[in-house]
Amino acid sequence: MSYLLHIDSSSLGADSVSRQVAQSFRDSWQGPVVHRDLGAAPVPHLSAVGIAARSADQAARTPEQAAAAAIQEELIEEFLGASAYLFTVPMYDYSMPSVFKAWLDQVMTVGATVALPDGPPAAGRPALVVSARGGGYGPGTPNHGMDHVVPTLETVLGHQQSLGLDVSVLTPELTLAPVVPYMSELIPLHEASLANSHEQARKLAEAFQAAL
């Protein structure tokens, strides 16, 4: 085993439900962890310079291209060095936090992490996405079909023409119920969802390690 790569993207720090559930995973994980907190220290968004640096000859890169390439190479090396992954990606305005999208855009590079046509080098490695959300988005709820976080990440992280990870997802829901008065009747459902997410996080940590 090399290490667990833990990527946080919530802006809420210790108050983040996604981070709290991820901590239950961490509490059951035995082994080294590399933690990158994008909420506290975001990576740059991919720029034209960064894209050009990918195809430019290393010796011919401009100083700006060299700096952009160094960021990408650091993140890619960190990603590929892991044997398992823990991502906290809460729902912000029906989608993922921009800091996580910025990280993805830096990491996803054909020939490095997206290795077509032979498949991605991280294919099959286990990954857990923890994505807390203020409401409920399951079948039968008013918000059903409006979750643009989990379906996107299952494709980006899990598809064999992308990063190819073996993705599990936990979605602690109704996190606004304790703080929004008109949602107070949903507090028991929120508490049940949260408790189940913590339990499943601990079980998944054990399962990941057993598989490795």
Side-chain angles (χ1 to χ4, degrees):
M1 183 188 304
S2 55
Y3 54 82
L4 171 74
L5 179 58
H6 178 189
I7 304 290
D8 271 320
S9 65
S10 171
S11 299
L12 291 178
D15 292 331
S16 164
V17 171
S18 296
R19 290 177 186 254
Q20 292 167 13
V21 172
Q23 188 59 51
S24 286
F25 182 101
R26 290 280 303 271
D27 289 344
S28 295
W29 180 264
Q30 303 293 322
V33 177
V34 172
H35 181 217
R36 183 175 289 271
D37 188 345
L38 300 175
V43 301
H45 285 277
L46 187 62
S47 66
V49 171
I51 294 172
R54 293 177 174 178
S55 57
D57 183 85
Q58 185 172 350
R61 286 171 178 164
T62 66
E64 293 79 11
Q65 289 175 341
I71 292 171
Q72 295 180 52
E73 290 164 3
E74 175 188 351
L75 297 175
I76 288 169
E77 181 179 3
E78 184 177 81
F79 173 79
L80 291 177
S83 56
Y85 305 87
L86 173 61
F87 303 112
T88 64
V89 193
M91 179 185 286
Y92 285 0
D93 301 319
Y94 304 104
S95 187
M96 71 184 77
S98 66
V99 293
F100 193 77
K101 183 61 166 62
W103 178 84
L104 280 174
D105 290 342
Q106 296 283 6
V107 167
M108 294 182 64
T109 303
V110 174
T113 56
V114 182
L116 302 176
D118 299 325
R125 298 178 191 176
L128 172 61
V129 174
V130 182
S131 181
R133 57 274 317 281
Y137 290 80
T141 67
N143 294 324
H144 185 225
M146 298 172 69
D147 176 2
H148 301 291
V149 183
V150 170
T152 299
L153 291 182
E154 286 179 332
T155 299
V156 174
L157 297 174
H159 197 281
Q160 287 303 304
Q161 292 183 351
S162 187
L163 296 179
L165 304 178
D166 183 7
V167 179
S168 300
V169 179
L170 294 176
T171 54
E173 295 194 320
L174 301 167
T175 60
L176 289 176
V179 296
V180 176
Y182 76 83
M183 294 178 65
S184 60
E185 65 181 16
L186 300 174
I187 289 176
L189 292 177
H190 158 65
E191 291 175 340
S193 175
L194 182 59
N196 180 65
S197 293
H198 281 291
E199 179 182 2
Q200 293 304 314
R202 289 188 285 267
K203 289 181 177 179
L204 283 167
E206 295 171 358
F208 281 18
Q209 290 192 292
L212 294 173

